[in-house]
Amino acid sequence: MKSRWNDDEAEALAARYAQQGVDRDLALRVYSSRLLGQDPRLVLHGGGNTSVKLRLRDLLGDEVDVLCVKGSGWDMANIEPAGLPAVRLAPLLKLRALNHLADDDMVRVQRANLLDPGAPNPSVETLLHAFLPVRFVDHTHANAVLSLVDQPDGEKICREVYDGRFGIVPYVMPGFDLAKKAARVFEIDPRVEGLILMKHGIFTFGADAREAYERMIAAVSAAEARIQKKGTRRVFPAITLPQRVATIADVAPILRGACAVKDERIEGAYRRLILEFRSSPAILAYVNGREVMRYSQIGVVTPDHTIRTKNVPLLLPPPDTANLTQFHKDAFAAAKGFIERYRAYFARNNARCDPPKRALDPLPRVALAPGLGLFGMGRSRQEANVAADIAENAIAVITDAEALGRFEALSEAKLFEMEYWSLEQAKLGKAAEKPLAGQIALITGAAGAIGAATARAFRDAGAELALVDKDKKAVEALAQSLGALGLACDVTDDGAVHAAFAECCAALGGVDVVVSNAGAAWQGAIGELDDKILRQSFELNFFAHQRVARAAVKVMRAQGLGGALLFNVSKQAINPGADFGPYGLPKAATLLLVRQYALEYGKDGIRANAVNADRVRSGLLTKDMIASRAMARGVSEQDYMRGNLLGREVTAADVAAAFLYHATALKTTGDVTTVDGGNIAAALR
Ligand code: ZN
């Protein structure tokens, strides 16, 4: 590993911050924190922290000694001075005299001594930084160091590699006790360049930002050299894989269904996860290894990963294309076993806790699929992504640890202590979960007014989205603005629909709600109509709905979690308008299609419902159509749009609200909801 310190860059940043009145050392602290945070081999998703001790003026203008330490919620890769809140140092140092300090009291003291009361919470490792009488302190969970400290004889190896230049701290849970322990180890020999924390990570010290940073790079390089001395990376002897390994798109919905639990409060509801797939030669070598059952089930490589990935991943059987039914059975059995073991682990360890802990959901956050790769899982795409990053990193660490000797993790009790830390427990239940959290919605005709409004409504309700539209540019732009998956697809093309669902499954894990919305109006007097036009309209306004619903049902049944099929029908299906035969006829067939799906798949928990909207601006009604119709009736455009019982114009957002209602109405199927401002002739009876 090479130092990325660059004097020109460092000075430029310091000069830029100086204009904003930021202390030079704080600016350089920001610079080297970013260097650390930008390398995933050093720091991953909040897995490290840095500090500097300064003299700053408080709000009254008095000079005080402070510790500027990484604040929670900031990512080191793009940290700013505001991400290193200043805490008065003297009160922090006083704490060292205490015998015991509860975690929540520690947080309170730290907050109470912030120079800026509006600043973020200082890191949970703040006291460790404070108790060390050195100016710059850098902390990472560097991969190479973890490969050394996660060994049965890790301490011996570290003493050889670091030869007295680093103090060795035995494992203690982060917080007050670790801070005191680390300070005591430092005081044995204050000349050390840093501390190695067994089963946890590394600290380095410096009189300036560059020294602390470059000592980190040198120490990690020494660990890398020690790993390389063992020769080439160990290749795990592999199992024999099925001749044809199943695709990610086939495997993901089965895994997703297996990794869901019933929501006990609401019949028909499940707690579901979003999936993020990863593969690489290193991942494949690991998951295909004959001993994967041993080395993958030992535990996390550094304790704070347990909050993101749980202690161990779910291990799947190799998925065989020729026998997906067997894989389905085996995957569900494997997940059931995982859930049972997790519940037993919680009960066993919680028995010692006073007050008792609140159980987290028992679902895995990482799954290993031999022949394919790994899946990160989470309640959102973001969480799944973090779990996948950490899992990929853990594979690198464990692979090297196994090359060096034998990977060893903390005991179950110590991992439980971390997973159920009071500071983590305090965060539970603070933010109410959104109604569609963990769910995946696929919306067709997404680039149109109703499709886009529905996409926004579903995104705001917490769903992850796959947006489908024929207009590639428009759907990609919309998807990007909503953080969604954008899929260019013509729903009248069987192969394209199949591919869109496969992509949705591969990228997100499956599908829970489908809004079959794509449609277009064809006009013509029914007695003089060319068959070609009627067939064209049937292709889009009926067959496309059937094609999309059929593909959705296949995925939903593989998951076994029910689902919602929602169709944009039209008031035309009930109340035909003159010259709208080519549009109304297939829509009437689609209305029957909704009922057919409701009838045949209710047993699978799959609901089928329709929304009948009318007179929605920039839906099917173009500007010209509105103008000509208003003129034909001798009313203003506005009066035309409000020509309903309530006298109110119907918007795309009103239609979206009806779809959203049906996505969550677990006891309703075969229903049609009218969104037309009131039209007795179109009322259902
Ligand atoms: Zn740490």
Side-chain angles (χ1 to χ4, degrees), residues 1-2 36 39-43 139-148 161-162 165-166 193 196 201-204 212-228 400:
M1 180 169 286
K2 290 213 163 61
L36 295 171
D39 190 336
R41 295 169 302 171
L42 292 172
V43 169
H139 171 47
T140 74
H141 304 153
N143 284 3
V145 173
L146 291 177
S147 295
L148 306 192
V161 171
Y162 296 109
R165 287 180 294 119
F166 278 74
E193 293 173 19
I196 302 287
I202 173 171
F203 280 78
T204 54
Y213 167 75
E214 290 193 333
R215 280 177 169 175
M216 178 66 73
I217 301 302
V220 173
S221 301
E224 285 176 341
R226 172 66 190 231
I227 294 161
Q228 269 152 21
D400 281 345

Side-chain angles (χ1 to χ4, degrees), residues 389-585:
D389 281 350
I390 290 177
E392 213 177 327
N393 219 58
I395 284 178
V397 171
I398 296 170
T399 302
D400 281 345
E402 287 278 310
L404 193 66
R406 187 164 60 79
F407 172 60
E408 186 190 73
L410 286 169
S411 68
E412 174 183 295
K414 292 225 154 58
L415 289 171
F416 181 86
E417 193 183 27
M418 194 68 194
E419 190 178 3
Y420 284 87
W421 194 2
S422 59
L423 296 182
E424 290 298 327
Q425 289 264 302
K427 293 181 198 161
L428 293 180
K430 282 245 167 98
E433 276 217 313
K434 292 180 173 171
L436 294 182
Q439 297 210 35
I440 299 161
L442 182 145
I443 300 168
T444 74
I450 290 175
T454 305
R456 276 188 204 99
F458 276 57
R459 193 267 324 254
D460 291 347
E464 297 296 344
L465 306 174
L467 305 179
V468 173
D469 202 285
K470 212 165 73 172
D471 186 339
K472 186 168 189 282
K473 247 174 103 177
V475 78
E476 281 172 0
L478 181 70
Q480 191 167 22
S481 76
L482 296 177
L485 182 67
L487 301 167
C489 163
D490 175 357
V491 287
T492 63
D493 176 345
D494 220 21
V497 169
H498 183 80
F501 273 86
E503 261 193 77
C504 177
C505 290
L508 300 171
V511 72
D512 304 296
V513 182
V514 165
V515 182
S516 189
N517 165 66
W522 275 269
Q523 298 184 56
I526 195 71
E528 299 147 43
L529 193 66
D530 188 336
D531 268 3
K532 221 177 93 189
I533 290 180
L534 193 57
R535 284 182 200 282
Q536 254 180 5
S537 181
F538 260 93
E539 204 43 65
L540 178 61
N541 291 316
F542 173 74
F543 281 106
H545 288 297
Q546 157 62 359
R547 195 172 285 126
V548 165
R550 189 176 54 204
V553 160
K554 186 169 173 243
V555 177
M556 288 173 182
R557 293 183 80 198
Q559 293 174 155
L561 305 172
L565 303 173
L566 309 177
F567 299 83
N568 188 348
V569 179
S570 165
K571 75 113 200 176
Q572 288 292 330
I574 308 290
N575 173 220
D579 290 340
F580 269 89
Y583 180 57
L585 285 162

Side-chain angles (χ1 to χ4, degrees), residues 44-47 75 274-276 278 304-305 307-309 365-366 374-394:
L44 205 59
H45 299 296
D75 185 338
I274 307 296
L275 271 51
E276 157 99 10
R278 296 284 173 83
D304 74 15
H305 286 182
I307 292 149
R308 317 283 204 134
T309 63
R365 289 299 189 271
V366 177
L374 70 83
F375 291 89
M377 302 192 269
R379 289 286 282 165
S380 64
R381 208 175 168 189
Q382 161 69 11
E383 272 186 31
N385 188 47
V386 169
D389 281 350
I390 290 177
E392 213 177 327
N393 219 58

